[in-house]
Amino acid sequence: MRGGGHLLLSADAVGGVWQYSTDLIRALQPHGYEVTLAVMGPALSEAQRAEAAAIANCHLVETGLELEWLAAEAAPIVQAEARLAEMAGDLRADAVQLHTPALASAGRYPCPAIALLHSCVATWWEAVRGGPMPEDFNWRTALVAAGLRQASRIVAPSMAFAQAARRHYGVLPMAVHNGRFFPVKPQAMQDHVFTAGRLWDEGKNVRVLDEAAARIAVPFRAAGPLEGPQGGAIGLRSLLPLGPLDSMALARHLASRPVFASAALYEPSALRCWRRRWPVARWCCPTFPLFGSYGMAPPSSSILTTRGASPWR
């Protein structure tokens, strides 16, 4: 796509796809791209609407279309693809970028379609539960498989996750690492531990961190929602919940250079290493390569596991 083009970008507002999408739109602005952001699934918060409105090249459309992992059957997702293809034609978009290959299963788009495999139910089930998938996961997996074959280009956020996709779907996506930049100056290092994400998601394994928080003598803060859109929830006893944070609030917490901890069983996007450096404690999750895929490591970092000894005991 040449400079000055128009991109139709699908997204949802539930997790990291929102941050990925808004960061991408900002990054495209200096290159002259206009982006129509087609949001699907649960409604945006007022803070998210304000964030999108502040991006000059972002044209927000709240579609009301269903998300593949929340829908009860395949038909609404097939209909969502048809609607997005119609939007692409009406906008005369130069390209479409989809946040799931399930939205490319029929190959309807009038322009090149890039499909990102941020995650999928098949690889989530393999990592978190194991064994045969539930029946309602099968149609979701079939849509993703079809989309991976129909899309003009397929992308995964890490090579480890691209390999997982090849095991399940027989195709190898291009690995393009996620990354973020926060315009916040680093502060003096504070003696605390920090985690962030969809805390309610079983794949994040937050209960392990909650148990670890009870065993250390420093504050252990957790950013993110405790309840999911399908009713899933987690209660915390020792972690200090901060609730969902917008990008700038998250940046301010990371600017204090805490030890960032993860016990995730499933993390296809790996750790997004912003242009800040801080110690990291992590679980040994195969799709969580941390520094290996980036060819970098923070100097003098404490790379621990949650099974290891605590430096604060």
Side-chain angles (χ1 to χ4, degrees):
M1 192 165 65
R2 293 175 296 179
H6 196 136
L7 174 69
L8 174 61
L9 177 65
S10 76
D12 66 55
V14 178
V17 172
W18 174 258
Q19 286 81 25
Y20 172 93
S21 300
T22 51
D23 279 356
L24 175 62
I25 297 169
R26 291 187 188 95
L28 289 173
Q29 184 176 352
H31 302 284
Y33 296 115
E34 297 296 317
V35 181
T36 295
L37 179 60
V39 178
M40 303 172 59
L44 295 171
S45 67
E46 289 305 316
Q48 287 172 320
R49 291 190 182 99
E51 182 180 7
I55 306 173
N57 63 324
C58 178
H59 309 280
L60 177 64
V61 178
E62 296 186 57
T63 67
L65 299 171
E66 292 192 51
L67 293 174
E68 157 243 332
W69 57 281
L70 293 178
E73 58 183 358
I77 309 309
V78 175
Q79 293 165 7
E81 177 180 351
R83 176 63 187 123
L84 290 172
E86 182 182 14
M87 287 178 63
D90 292 343
L91 293 167
R92 296 183 179 179
D94 295 282
V96 175
Q97 182 167 307
L98 304 165
H99 70 282
T100 170
L103 294 169
S105 65
R108 296 174 180 267
Y109 296 95
C111 56
I114 305 161
L116 268 74
L117 191 66
H118 288 285
S119 66
C120 72
V121 295
T123 54
W124 183 93
W125 186 267
E126 177 187 53
V128 178
R129 298 282 185 85
M133 288 192 302
E135 185 175 345
D136 69 324
F137 277 27
N138 291 327
W139 66 260
R140 305 172 204 272
T141 300
L143 285 180
V144 169
L148 287 170
R149 288 172 171 80
Q150 290 282 1
S152 308
R153 177 77 71 178
I154 54 176
V155 176
S158 70
M159 182 53 71
F161 190 54
Q163 294 288 355
R166 182 162 67 175
R167 288 199 307 274
H168 280 272
Y169 302 108
V171 295
L172 182 66
M174 173 190 296
V176 179
H177 302 137
N178 289 351
R180 304 200 69 192
F181 174 75
F182 288 145
V184 176
K185 293 182 179 180
Q187 305 167 9
M189 184 177 290
Q190 298 181 19
D191 200 10
H192 70 284
V193 186
F194 184 80
T195 193
R198 297 192 305 265
L199 304 180
W200 53 267
D201 185 343
E202 187 179 347
K204 303 303 181 186
N205 206 19
V206 171
R207 295 194 185 281
V208 168
L209 299 182
D210 197 36
E211 293 175 8
R215 298 168 178 262
I216 62 175
V218 298
F220 196 152
R221 301 184 177 98
L226 298 175
E227 298 182 3
Q230 292 177 303
I234 186 171
L236 303 177
R237 293 185 300 173
S238 301
L239 284 170
L240 304 175
L242 301 173
L245 301 180
D246 61 27
S247 293
M248 289 304 299
L250 182 60
R252 287 190 290 270
H253 279 278
L254 291 175
S256 65
R257 295 182 292 168
V259 171
F260 187 95
S262 174
L265 301 171
Y266 179 74
E267 188 58 78
S269 296
L271 179 62
R272 296 186 176 102
C273 292
W274 295 277
R275 295 181 187 178
R276 298 288 179 265
R277 297 184 172 188
W278 61 87
V280 176
R282 62 153 179 160
W283 194 260
C284 296
C285 173
T287 56
F288 201 162
L290 264 172
F291 312 115
S293 292
Y294 294 85
M296 59 175 283
S300 305
S301 62
S302 301
I303 301 177
L304 314 170
T305 70
T306 51
R307 288 176 174 162
S310 165
W312 296 287
R313 295 202 54 170

